[in-house]
Amino acid sequence: MLDPKMVNRRRAVLSSIGLGLLMVSSAAVTKVLTPTAKLSDGKPALDLNALVPADFGDWKEDRTLVAAVVNPQTEAAINAIYSQTLSRTYVSKTGERIMLSIAYGDDQAGEGTQAHRPEICYAAQGFGISSNNEGVLITGERKIPVRRLVAKNGPRNEPITYWVTVGDQATLPGIGRKLTQLAYGLGGQVPDGLLFRVSSIQSDDAAGFKLQDKFVNDLFASLDAKQQVRLAGKVQGA
């Protein structure tokens, strides 16, 4: 008959060995699955100011106004997350105004950019979000998944349309973004990406979204195929 003390010692030794093997294998898997190569290193350098024209179609940058970009973070915090940002106000020939905000980062592997989602930024500055829906913005052959928001602060009513890109794919924050990040990570790549946002101050939400769609279509009509990919990813199925 085996000595109970001996049995317990053997169990303890086996448990220690098993735990050690598990820790080693976990560390090895983590090392393998941790992406190291930045996708942006294989792309031409991005310059948002050069990429997005100041004048196109019926639109012209209004340099007399500073774009009312809602962002509660300090400049230092923004620079720590994003490589570049662009904020402009455009005015059409008929006097309609669109506010454009683009934030690009060469590392979209983490969750740091989540704090800069428009619905979070607007709420942090005292806005109420009265509407929050997913939609699709069609421009040419491209169907961009977008989020449509309506932010309110006193008399200010601001319809908002935005999307994010991860690598060469347009998506939305949430499960879609996480799955895209994971796909790049499994390939050993750190994806870049951006947040593209347009908004307008007007009481008619539907008219606001329609105007924003027109603005995006006019903008993309002024860009070549490669420039469009940088802002909204590849055309699905292409």
Side-chain angles (χ1 to χ4, degrees):
M1 185 173 180
L2 294 176
D3 185 347
K5 292 184 178 180
M6 182 65 71
V7 172
N8 290 337
R9 290 196 191 97
R10 289 179 178 177
R11 287 177 178 173
V13 171
L14 290 174
S15 295
S16 297
I17 293 174
L19 181 60
L21 290 173
L22 181 61
M23 293 175 65
V24 171
S25 62
S26 177
V29 170
T30 299
K31 184 176 182 180
V32 170
L33 295 182
T34 299
T36 56
K38 281 191 173 182
L39 191 65
S40 60
D41 291 341
K43 297 180 179 181
L46 180 65
D47 183 345
L48 289 177
N49 279 295
L51 173 61
V52 181
D55 305 305
F56 57 89
D58 293 334
W59 302 91
K60 182 177 182 179
E61 182 184 0
D62 187 348
R63 296 180 175 86
T64 65
L65 293 175
V66 177
V69 176
V70 174
N71 199 321
Q73 306 298 323
T74 64
E75 183 176 355
I78 294 173
N79 292 338
I81 294 175
Y82 296 116
S83 308
Q84 295 182 58
T85 59
L86 175 72
S87 299
R88 291 178 184 168
T89 295
Y90 286 84
V91 60
S92 70
K93 292 180 180 179
T94 55
E96 298 162 310
R97 280 184 166 78
I98 288 287
M99 292 174 288
L100 169 68
S101 175
I102 305 175
Y104 170 80
D106 60 6
D107 184 347
Q108 294 290 304
E111 299 300 321
T113 57
Q114 290 296 310
H116 292 265
R117 290 167 58 177
E119 54 265 52
I120 297 175
C121 291
Y122 275 81
Q125 287 213 353
F127 284 78
I129 304 298
S130 63
S131 179
N132 186 338
N133 299 294
E134 292 184 6
V136 176
L137 193 160
I138 299 175
T139 173
E141 298 181 353
R142 183 176 275 101
K143 296 180 179 179
I144 306 173
V146 298
R147 187 164 291 280
R148 310 276 198 183
L149 309 174
V150 177
K152 293 179 178 292
N153 191 347
R156 174 165 166 162
N157 189 80
E158 187 171 349
I160 304 157
T161 299
Y162 82 88
W163 71 81
V164 298
T165 67
V166 178
D168 290 329
Q169 183 173 328
T171 183
L172 290 173
I175 186 65
R177 178 176 181 271
K178 292 182 182 298
L179 289 175
T180 305
Q181 288 175 324
L182 178 61
Y184 277 105
L186 290 174
Q189 293 180 311
V190 178
D192 60 347
L194 58 78
L195 187 150
F196 185 107
R197 184 183 88 200
V198 286
S199 66
S200 50
I201 300 175
Q202 54 194 115
S203 58
D204 189 331
D205 301 336
F209 294 135
K210 185 176 180 179
L211 178 66
Q212 292 159 23
D213 286 6
K214 180 183 185 304
F215 175 87
V216 173
N217 272 272
D218 289 347
L219 171 60
F220 275 55
S222 72
L223 304 175
D224 63 32
K226 291 182 179 179
Q227 291 172 323
Q228 293 178 22
V229 169
R230 296 307 297 266
L231 292 180
K234 293 181 178 179
V235 175
Q236 293 182 359

